[in-house]
Amino acid sequence: NCDDALVSPLPSDALTSSSELSSTHSPSFAKLNRRDGAGGWSPLESKEQQWLQVDLGDRVEVVAVATQGRYGSSDWVTSYALMFSDTGRNWRQYRQDDAVWVFTGNSNADSVVHHKLLHSMKARFLRFIPLKWNAGGRIGLRVEVFGCSYKSDIADFDGRSSLLYRFNQKLMSTFKDVVSLKFKSMQGDGVLFHGEGQRGDYITLELQKGKLSLHLNLGDSNLHFSNSHTSVTLGSLLDDQHWHSVLIERFNKQVNFTVDKHTQHFRTKGDSDHLDIDYELSFGGIPVPGKPGTFQRKNFHGCIENLYYNGVNIIDLAKR
């Protein structure tokens, strides 16, 4: 039931724009089906780089959008793009099929054109970017956004902090692991999580120069393989202060490593199928045992959201 109208209940100052033709063409009149003012928003000049922005008040999940032209006029937008942001400063373009998505707009002033998004957006700010408009008129726009409030568990890391998840037993031996999370950061380096064992096993996920690297070592207590280390790197420019999703699925030696819908499948080296780690996993850094506040490598500086390890909500557990 994530289909609430999100723009109509907003105060008028929640809508802003790159410019306005006059006070009666201001963005405050750009709500769907409204007829006050001049009947919608029009910018000072109908040209590229104009935008209509909506501050949704809080981070929400957006699942659909709808547009109209300016009421009773020859002003409407025939195609547009969408941009979204958590801060109103750093923006991302809505994409489908790995390309910036162009939405079909209106063919008259008053009919509503509705688009359900293939991929929902989680954002507080949304921008409508007119690309083309009626040749016999100007840019004219009224909009609505559909979705619902977005509930999530978020932990902030300041480069000096970490979360520890401790197991019930001193040694955890797993043949299957699933780790999922979202993160955002403006720092290009930092450890997101780490676990290690006395037999040489370890798993580490870290940012390195804006790329995400997964390091795995499934040691073998009998054979002591020296060539059982595996490292895989995905993504680039991930320190852009936007949310990025990560999913790690390991079953025996087979691993699926996914970053923002791009997946790399690989097999770990060595003969061991189990990951044997000691009593804890650390998130946000690798603490030095017996030295509180001291870390082995650069700590993560940013936010981690919806962090799950083998079905356990780590952030929710930490808040209790």
Side-chain angles (χ1 to χ4, degrees):
N1 297 320
C2 188
D3 57 1
D4 298 332
L6 302 178
V7 174
S8 57
L10 293 173
S12 58
D13 60 1
L15 287 87
T16 55
S17 63
S18 52
S19 65
E20 58 189 53
L21 182 61
S22 71
S23 60
T24 59
H25 295 77
S26 79
S28 61
F29 301 120
K31 295 181 180 181
L32 203 73
N33 294 320
R34 294 282 289 274
R35 300 181 180 184
D36 42 354
W41 167 69
S42 287
L44 181 61
E45 295 181 89
S46 291
K47 62 180 182 179
E48 293 182 356
Q49 317 267 310
Q50 302 286 357
W51 46 261
L52 174 67
Q53 178 175 310
V54 181
D55 179 357
L56 296 162
D58 205 349
R59 196 160 181 241
V60 299
E61 182 169 7
V62 176
V63 300
V65 295
T67 60
Q68 285 174 303
R70 193 168 61 79
Y71 173 70
S73 73
S74 57
D75 302 341
W76 59 83
V77 171
T78 58
S79 67
Y80 62 93
L82 285 176
M83 301 184 75
F84 59 99
S85 170
D86 285 327
T87 63
R89 297 183 299 275
N90 300 308
W91 294 88
R92 296 185 75 180
Q93 294 178 307
Y94 177 76
R95 304 172 71 90
Q96 284 186 198
D97 302 324
D98 290 328
V100 175
W101 191 253
V102 176
F103 293 83
T104 302
N106 300 89
S107 57
N108 57 52
D110 295 309
S111 297
V112 177
V113 176
H114 186 280
H115 289 284
K116 186 172 179 62
L117 304 184
L118 183 61
H119 311 294
S120 66
M121 291 181 288
K122 285 82 173 178
R124 172 176 171 175
F125 297 91
L126 201 62
R127 275 187 182 178
F128 292 79
I129 314 293
L131 301 175
K132 294 181 180 179
W133 45 92
N134 179 27
R138 309 177 62 91
I139 293 174
L141 201 56
R142 288 175 286 172
V143 302
E144 185 56 273
V145 175
F146 301 91
C148 55
S149 60
Y150 179 65
K151 304 298 182 184
S152 63
D153 290 297
I154 298 178
D156 295 313
F157 296 87
D158 60 5
R160 300 183 298 273
S161 56
S162 65
L163 280 176
L164 294 180
Y165 173 54
R166 288 182 170 160
F167 307 119
N168 293 326
Q169 58 264 46
K170 291 186 176 181
L171 176 67
M172 176 66 74
S173 182
T174 62
F175 67 90
K176 179 180 179 181
D177 291 293
V178 179
V179 182
S180 64
L181 59 95
K182 288 187 174 183
F183 75 91
K184 66 177 180 179
S185 175
M186 291 187 69
Q187 304 293 325
D189 298 276
V191 174
L192 276 81
F193 80 86
H194 172 80
E196 64 181 76
Q198 295 182 4
R199 300 178 179 178
D201 292 36
Y202 59 80
I203 180 170
T204 307
L205 180 70
E206 67 176 321
L207 273 170
Q208 295 180 311
K209 297 181 179 179
K211 299 180 180 181
L212 203 58
S213 296
L214 174 63
H215 310 294
L216 266 172
N217 189 62
L218 304 185
D220 191 294
S221 58
N222 296 318
L223 300 177
H224 295 289
F225 277 95
S226 59
N227 193 30
S228 54
H229 171 83
T230 307
S231 289
V232 173
T233 299
L234 273 180
S236 62
L237 304 176
L238 299 177
D239 51 345
D240 58 358
Q241 192 60 20
H242 290 296
W243 289 103
H244 299 281
S245 59
V246 181
L247 176 64
I248 300 167
E249 303 167 291
R250 183 190 69 86
F251 182 74
N252 295 335
K253 289 191 288 290
Q254 187 64 43
V255 182
N256 301 326
F257 180 30
T258 302
V259 178
D260 294 337
K261 301 173 189 172
H262 299 283
T263 302
Q264 187 154 340
H265 309 279
F266 64 94
R267 287 179 63 85
T268 59
K269 300 175 183 177
D271 280 351
S272 177
D273 290 337
H274 290 75
L275 176 65
D276 297 327
I277 53 180
D278 292 340
Y279 62 97
E280 68 182 24
L281 284 172
S282 63
F283 298 90
I286 310 176
V288 175
K291 295 183 179 180
T294 305
F295 297 88
Q296 295 180 25
R297 295 215 285 275
K298 187 169 183 178
N299 264 30
F300 177 69
H301 192 291
C303 301
I304 296 180
E305 175 186 73
N306 294 344
L307 170 58
Y308 286 85
Y309 170 70
N310 289 348
V312 177
N313 186 332
I314 301 296
I315 297 174
D316 180 62
L317 197 66
K319 291 178 178 178
R320 294 179 185 175

